[in-house]
Amino acid sequence: MNYWNKLLHLAQSRLRISGFWLGILSLFLSNNLIAQTQNTDNQYRKPLLQVLKDVETRFNVKIKYADPQVKDKWVNYADWRFRGNVDETLANILTPLDMKVNKEKPGLYKLKEYEYYRWEVQDGWNYLDSLATKYTDQASWEKRKAQIRPELYKALLLDPLPAQPNSKPIITPKRVMDGYTVENIAIEILPGVWINGSLYKPLNVKGKVPVILSPDGHWEKQRYRADCQIRCATIARMGAMAFSYDLFAWGESQLQFKYEDHRRSLAQTIQTLGGIRILDYVSALKETDKNRIGISGGSGGGSHTVLMAAMDNRIKLSAPVVAMSSYFYGGCPCESGMPIHQCAGGTDNVELAAMAAPHPQLIVSDGSDWTAHTPQHDFPYLQKMYGYYGVKDKVENVHLPEEKHDFGINKRIALYDFLIKYFKLNGNAVNDKSGRYDESKVTIEKENALYVFGDKGEKLPKNAVMGFENLEKLFYSTTSK
């Protein structure tokens, strides 16, 4: 070591060589220094970038990565991690760094950070099978449910629930459409914190009517999107109320919090508290049929749907769309940021979905995401669970193998059919002459028409909590009392 350092010093001070050649010499010496230190004293340490290049050369593959992913990362015992095949080698190298690769095609890999929420399909199935050994009949399953449910509240820091602010909902003037009305509503769920949404009602409400909570997912424009408005308005035209609401730090919630705050773990807690408070609100409406309260959301809203139905027995029907999977726990902290999946010794989203039994449940899946294998394993598990109650047919799966991750027309049709079947909605009110659903009479409103707090947030109350740090202080001070 001293020899090489002296040589470098001599090159700098006496030979007065050019910067270019000094760089070449430095690189040469650096490589030799690494070679000199490849021993146990140095843990056979190599830069990750160099190790990945060695993998590419040895196995004749290509690994895609961004510079920040490999910068300043080192692999201990690097050469010792190589095995006879590239997949095992990459796993040995990357696992200690909390990284992985996705195999895009034979010979081509993409470097990824470790995704705790994404499992191999067979791993997810095996884990669900192990969970299923904990119960064999209705009685043992009910005992398992009684373990899981209170722990969900604790995991979300909602045991006990924070006190509800003594304030009335903020409601905008009602807008009258063809067969339905819309009014925007903000419900204060913590002092200075609101969950906002739009309530779609049948134009002429007679007697008690169902309510469908409609949280939406991570798609662009969320509840302002055309297909979300179409879905909720069509449900209203069939004779039910539909409450479409924002996820945390989406929509008008961004008047108070940043987009990045949606990816904080506490987002799942605030989001769930918002869903509970909306349930409180709609349950107290004079026109609500409390025996016909349902929930249906897609994607991240589908994960929220599963969780809400598992936690709150006031929900009598659920329909998670392109969401539920035994090998995918939700790629956003608003779905898996809090330790809900560690409850009762460990659970997953399919077991949580089973907690809705014996209430009717529709699982909508497609062929392009983590629901692609739903009919093969997850749905049969749910049928077995519903069979414990003698109502195996009350859980249904509409699988659309040629479709992608969205809440498109065929997914909406599946939901409409299910609501007509179990909540007795009037399909004839939205059918055309051929008997098909006609969504053309729905008015697609501009985004700002669905705001509660004005076009530029000018109507946001003065006591509004601003910023995530202030929300954290408020939440923990409220729940510690």
Side-chain angles (χ1 to χ4, degrees):
M1 292 287 291
N2 290 335
Y3 169 77
W4 293 110
N5 287 332
K6 288 179 180 178
L7 182 59
L8 180 59
H9 176 73
L10 286 171
Q12 292 172 318
S13 61
R14 298 183 180 181
L15 298 179
R16 298 179 181 178
I17 59 177
S18 70
F20 171 78
W21 288 108
L22 181 60
I24 293 296
L25 180 59
S26 296
L27 180 61
F28 169 76
L29 296 176
S30 176
N31 286 337
N32 275 279
L33 286 172
I34 291 175
Q36 291 286 319
T37 57
Q38 284 298 295
N39 53 48
T40 54
D41 292 344
N42 191 262
Q43 297 177 306
Y44 289 95
R45 201 164 179 251
K46 281 188 177 182
L48 175 59
L49 177 59
Q50 181 60 52
V51 176
L52 293 179
K53 290 184 180 300
D54 291 345
V55 171
E56 289 181 317
T57 300
R58 185 175 301 190
F59 295 103
N60 192 29
V61 298
K62 174 67 178 174
I63 303 171
K64 299 193 299 185
Y65 51 82
D67 290 341
Q69 289 180 294
V70 298
K71 184 180 180 182
D72 299 328
K73 287 188 173 71
W74 292 76
V75 181
N76 292 335
Y77 305 103
D79 290 336
W80 293 92
R81 296 181 184 275
F82 280 73
R83 295 295 184 269
N85 64 77
V86 63
D87 295 314
E88 188 176 353
T89 297
L90 285 170
N92 283 346
I93 292 167
L94 298 173
T95 299
L97 298 174
D98 277 345
M99 303 186 80
K100 57 174 285 188
V101 286
N102 285 351
K103 191 173 185 178
E104 298 189 337
K105 63 181 182 179
L108 180 63
Y109 295 81
K110 185 176 183 179
L111 189 64
K112 300 274 289 185
E113 281 65 42
Y114 176 69
E115 297 171 319
Y116 70 89
Y117 49 82
R118 191 189 306 272
W119 294 20
E120 294 297 327
V121 175
Q122 191 62 53
D123 289 344
W125 288 358
N126 291 343
Y127 185 57
L128 183 58
D129 289 344
S130 71
L131 292 174
T133 64
K134 299 177 183 292
Y135 30 82
T136 55
D137 54 20
Q138 182 179 332
S140 57
W141 168 237
E142 284 291 335
K143 184 177 179 180
R144 170 75 173 160
K145 284 170 62 175
Q147 292 176 322
I148 296 173
R149 183 169 285 137
E151 290 196 23
L152 290 173
Y153 283 89
K154 291 177 182 177
L156 290 162
L157 307 178
L158 295 177
D159 181 27
L161 285 171
Q164 187 167 6
N166 187 25
S167 60
K168 293 183 179 180
I170 301 170
I171 305 175
T172 64
K174 187 176 294 185
R175 306 182 297 283
V176 179
M177 309 297 183
D178 187 343
Y180 67 100
T181 64
V182 189
E183 50 195 341
N184 309 325
I185 301 175
I187 299 172
E188 193 173 16
I189 61 175
L190 291 167
V193 181
W194 286 266
I195 187 165
N196 292 17
S198 296
L199 181 60
Y200 296 72
K201 288 184 178 181
L203 184 58
N204 298 307
V205 177
K206 296 180 180 179
K208 301 288 186 179
V209 299
V211 181
I212 311 301
L213 273 59
S214 302
D216 221 53
H218 296 102
W219 294 297
E220 187 180 3
K221 295 187 178 297
Q222 208 190 12
R223 72 179 182 90
Y224 308 128
R225 294 189 340 273
D227 67 85
C228 185
Q229 293 188 50
I230 288 170
R231 182 173 82 253
C232 293
T234 301
I235 289 171
R237 296 184 73 238
M238 289 194 291
M241 292 183 282
F243 199 117
S244 172
Y245 57 97
D246 294 328
L247 300 181
F248 173 74
W250 282 71
E252 284 190 280
S253 184
Q254 290 184 326
L255 293 172
Q256 299 178 254
F257 309 106
K258 296 178 181 178
Y259 170 79
E260 308 90 80
D261 296 333
H262 180 73
R263 297 196 62 82
R264 306 285 193 107
S265 59
L266 193 62
Q268 187 174 29
T269 294
I270 303 302
Q271 211 160 271
T272 306
L273 178 61
I276 292 170
R277 293 311 180 205
I278 289 172
L279 261 176
D280 294 339
Y281 174 75
V282 298
S283 296
L285 295 176
K286 63 180 181 179
E287 56 264 63
T288 296
D289 182 347
K290 294 181 181 180
N291 292 317
R292 290 188 291 169
I293 297 177
I295 184 169
S296 177
S299 191
S303 298
H304 178 74
T305 293
V306 169
L307 181 60
M308 287 294 297
M311 292 178 64
D312 202 314
N313 205 43
R314 289 178 292 179
I315 294 174
K316 308 300 184 184
L317 175 150
S318 58
V321 174
V322 295
M324 187 210 71
S325 173
S326 60
Y327 53 90
F328 189 77
Y329 289 76
C332 179
C334 82
E335 301 170 81
S336 56
M338 300 299 279
I340 61 169
H341 298 104
Q342 277 68 57
C343 291
T347 183
D348 70 4
N349 286 336
V350 184
E351 188 179 45
L352 293 181
M355 291 179 66
H359 301 312
Q361 181 169 198
L362 169 68
I363 308 296
V364 181
S365 52
D366 66 80
S368 68
D369 59 25
W370 47 88
T371 64
H373 301 286
T374 295
Q376 297 169 246
H377 193 274
D378 297 351
F379 181 58
Y381 164 87
L382 289 176
Q383 288 180 304
K384 178 182 177 182
M385 304 306 293
Y386 272 73
Y388 288 164
Y389 299 88
V391 290
K392 182 179 178 180
D393 60 336
K394 280 194 174 183
V395 61
E396 299 180 15
N397 175 217
V398 172
H399 187 63
L400 303 165
E402 303 302 319
E403 296 201 7
K404 296 185 178 181
H405 186 76
D406 58 27
F407 213 137
I409 179 60
N410 290 323
K411 300 175 179 76
R412 298 198 297 275
I413 288 174
L415 176 62
Y416 300 156
D417 288 344
F418 199 71
L419 292 175
I420 291 169
K421 181 176 181 179
Y422 285 104
F423 274 6
K424 309 303 180 186
L425 300 193
N426 181 13
N428 292 329
V430 295
N431 286 346
D432 61 19
K433 293 180 180 180
S434 65
R436 296 179 179 179
Y437 292 112
D438 180 7
E439 299 176 327
S440 66
K441 295 183 180 181
V442 172
T443 299
I444 307 301
E445 298 188 272
K446 293 182 179 180
E447 181 174 316
N448 62 351
L450 300 172
Y451 294 167
V452 179
F453 296 135
D455 288 355
K456 298 181 180 179
E458 67 274 9
K459 297 180 182 179
L460 185 68
K462 294 181 179 180
N463 69 318
V465 173
M466 305 302 290
F468 190 80
E469 288 185 4
N470 290 324
L471 171 64
E472 282 187 308
K473 292 176 183 177
L474 169 68
F475 179 80
Y476 289 116
S477 66
T478 301
T479 54
S480 63
K481 293 179 180 178

